Amino acid sequence: MRKRTARQEAIRKIVRRERVRTQRDLVDHLKNEGYSCTQATVSRDIADMGLRKLPEGVYVLAEDIHLQRMVAELVESVVQSHQLVLVKTTAGGGQGVAAALDAAALDEILGSIAGDDTILIVTGTEGAATIVREGIEKFRGRY
């Protein structure tokens, strides 16, 4: 049971970080993370976790679908400065995107402040900020 839980947590991180298109891709990513498993195991994990495939063919966590839609439709740019990430949205989109980020409960985000068209995200480290920036860019289809 513990092995499956740890593997599924790894899948959660991989799917948020990478553009995974196939179960084989996911098996390969897991192998790079130190997990040896078959495509059948990954298929069961995908079903258990409720992963969905976006129209562009990329796996996404069910809880991230709303976030992906908000980011794809409203985010205009994302920049990083050390452990801060600044997100610019269309007019009026800042608070909605920030609420979607909060609902996704990303481990790397310590907190955020949202205005009308700008969100300031605070992370604990520069590496965490990079993960957040790249995740947002992934949802924008830019990474």
Side-chain angles (χ1 to χ4, degrees):
M1 187 67 108
R2 251 187 268 169
K3 195 174 185 181
R4 184 181 77 189
T5 302
R7 186 181 60 248
Q8 288 184 355
E9 186 57 34
I11 290 170
R12 183 178 313 287
K13 289 178 181 179
I14 290 166
V15 168
R16 281 190 166 153
R17 186 179 66 224
E18 306 289 339
R19 294 182 66 80
V20 178
R21 294 185 177 278
T22 66
Q23 292 178 5
R24 183 82 237 153
D25 287 344
L26 193 50
V27 168
D28 292 341
H29 282 293
L30 284 167
K31 190 174 192 176
N32 292 339
E33 299 280 328
Y35 293 91
S36 178
C37 57
T38 66
Q39 188 171 346
T41 300
V42 167
S43 180
R44 283 189 296 276
D45 286 338
I46 287 170
D48 288 348
M49 296 172 68
L51 291 180
R52 302 283 185 258
K53 234 179 189 185
L54 296 176
E56 53 268 23
V58 178
Y59 280 107
V60 67
L61 298 167
E63 62 263 29
D64 289 351
I65 290 175
H66 178 67
L67 173 61
Q68 188 277 332
R69 287 186 182 138
M70 295 289 288
V71 167
E73 292 175 14
L74 301 175
V75 172
E76 294 180 341
S77 68
V78 183
V79 294
Q80 176 185 345
S81 178
H82 304 288
Q83 63 196 59
L84 303 174
V85 179
L86 185 71
V87 179
K88 295 293 281 179
T89 70
T90 57
Q95 294 193 9
V97 172
L101 282 165
D102 288 345
L106 303 174
D107 294 336
E108 296 81 11
I109 296 177
L110 297 178
S112 64
I113 300 170
D116 183 62
D117 64 353
T118 307
I119 306 162
L120 177 63
I121 300 169
V122 180
T123 65
T125 65
E126 191 168 340
T130 300
I131 291 169
V132 170
R133 179 185 51 79
E134 289 176 350
I136 293 170
E137 292 290 14
K138 174 189 154 195
F139 284 148
R140 291 182 67 216
R142 305 280 199 282
Y143 184 76

